[in-house]
Amino acid sequence: MWDIDGNEYIDYVGSWGSAIICHVDDEVLAALAETMKKGTSFGAPCLLENIVAEMVISVVPSIEMVRFVNSGTEACMGLLRLACAFTGREKIIKFEGCYHGHADPFLVKAGSGVSPLGLPDSPGDDDFIPPMPEFLNALRRITKDNGVFRHNSRLDTLRKIIGGGLPVGAYGGKREIMEMAAPAGPMYQAGILSGNPLAMTFGIHTLKRLKQPETYDHLNTISSKLIQGIVDARKKVGHAICGGYISGMFGFFFTESPFYNFEDSKKSDNAKFARFYR
Ligand SMILES: Cc1ncc(COP(=O)(O)O)c(C=O)c1O
């Protein structure tokens, strides 16, 4: 990549994961051109949405129905409203340091872009924290014990990668919950450009590529090499640093000891982290 001053960069950001199969792919460009000839938005569902929905349902066991939106923020907003409609509850629990987009309820003690900028109510440094295997099971137990959701009820959000690099988000779950969303049910949520043909076309190609055998092994291998290289290079010049990765996601903290949760991540040198990301 080149910036406006002609500086050359290697792009390790990849639109924060969206460009997982790369930026300019000939096959994708040809498919998008074909789709464009038929129209880019109708304000009505299109068949391509069904194809992406089926692809999602086939790989995410907890999802029986899926609703497309235009961003991760929107997906989280829709999911939250649906969860409140289904449970009849108004309160939510949000993890300190997590980022779920820029809607009001998600910005309470938010991480990601919010913390490196040192904005008010941002708890501090946050980057990629590999989840402990017990984490989700423990959450499931606690929510079940407290009657938060009925047994086996759960909702998931999906974000940018299912659109390859065009604006997409989605939320989904069991049919009995999803059918509460309008027009089937009383929980209103809609979006004119949601699930538009271009984004769905890109999504189909991205998900097809990701389904190819060994894709995730390859992602693991290159992410491990990259994060190890970053950590080694910084240690060589005297920085305390440690990193982690899963598939194409990776991150690091300016701290010596490994990090498993938000408390651990607070030990990171926040000023250095902010300087690095500016
Ligand atoms: C977990 C999570 N939820 C929601 C979002 C918001 O997504 P978007 O920027 O597409 O609105 C992000 C963005 O990074 C995210 O990481």
Side-chain angles (χ1 to χ4, degrees):
M1 284 173 76
W2 290 266
D3 68 14
I4 199 161
D5 300 316
N7 300 308
E8 189 176 358
Y9 301 93
I10 299 174
D11 179 17
Y12 291 131
V13 177
S15 185
W16 301 97
S18 327
I20 197 164
I21 64 166
C22 80
H23 284 294
V24 186
D25 181 87
D26 288 341
E27 198 190 339
V28 173
L29 290 181
L32 290 176
E34 274 312 302
T35 299
M36 262 194 285
K37 286 183 201 160
K38 298 178 196 154
T40 56
S41 170
F42 302 102
C46 70
L47 209 54
L48 295 165
E49 275 179 80
N50 292 45
I51 299 175
V52 183
E54 276 165 15
M55 292 173 101
V56 166
I57 289 164
S58 72
V59 292
V60 187
S62 53
I63 295 187
E64 291 174 355
M65 271 182 102
V66 63
R67 166 68 56 96
F68 292 106
V69 291
N70 298 293
S71 69
T73 303
E74 251 191 84
C76 294
M77 288 164 66
L79 177 139
L80 196 59
R81 182 177 297 154
L82 183 58
C84 291
F86 181 69
T87 58
R89 295 175 182 222
E90 290 178 355
K91 289 191 177 156
I92 58 163
I93 293 177
K94 176 188 174 291
F95 286 95
E96 193 178 7
C98 288
Y99 182 71
H100 302 285
H102 62 274
D104 287 350
F106 311 136
L107 285 176
V108 180
K109 299 206 180 270
S112 191
V114 186
S115 53
L117 294 176
L119 297 178
D121 206 23
S122 143
D125 206 348
D126 127 301
D127 202 64
F128 172 71
I129 302 179
M132 308 269 280
E134 306 82 21
F135 180 69
L136 286 178
N137 288 338
L139 275 187
R140 164 55 75 199
R141 200 184 55 246
I142 293 166
T143 49
K144 194 175 152 226
D145 289 352
N146 289 279
V148 174
F149 249 155
R150 271 182 240 146
H151 186 50
N152 270 341
S153 311
R154 91 175 229 185
L155 290 165
D156 293 270
T157 55
L158 304 163
R159 293 175 295 121
K160 44 198 123 328
I161 287 176
I162 54 163
L166 287 173
V168 174
Y171 59 98
K174 297 272 176 237
R175 181 171 287 275
E176 66 162 327
I177 310 177
M178 291 304 293
E179 280 181 341
M180 292 200 73
M187 190 289 291
Y188 190 70
Q189 184 269 307
I192 290 169
L193 294 173
S194 298
N196 70 74
L198 281 185
M200 294 296 103
T201 300
F202 209 159
I204 291 168
H205 280 268
T206 303
L207 293 176
K208 262 192 203 158
R209 279 301 162 80
L210 293 178
K211 273 180 104 170
Q212 283 171 7
E214 292 167 22
T215 300
Y216 285 94
D217 288 344
H218 177 64
L219 277 173
N220 265 320
T221 306
I222 56 176
S223 300
S224 137
K225 212 166 155 185
L226 177 62
I227 199 73
Q228 201 51 54
I230 291 172
V231 167
D232 290 348
R234 301 228 179 110
K235 278 193 174 161
K236 222 186 246 176
V237 290
H239 292 293
I241 181 166
C242 61
Y245 70 94
I246 294 178
S247 306
M249 287 177 77
F250 62 88
F252 46 84
F253 288 100
F254 287 98
T255 167
E256 204 76 68
S257 45
F259 48 91
Y260 298 108
N261 52 45
F262 183 67
E263 272 315 296
D264 292 346
S265 79
K266 281 188 188 161
K267 293 179 217 145
S268 181
D269 184 332
N270 222 7
K272 220 182 244 184
F273 190 86
R275 210 162 63 239
F276 178 83
Y277 276 102
R278 271 171 202 239

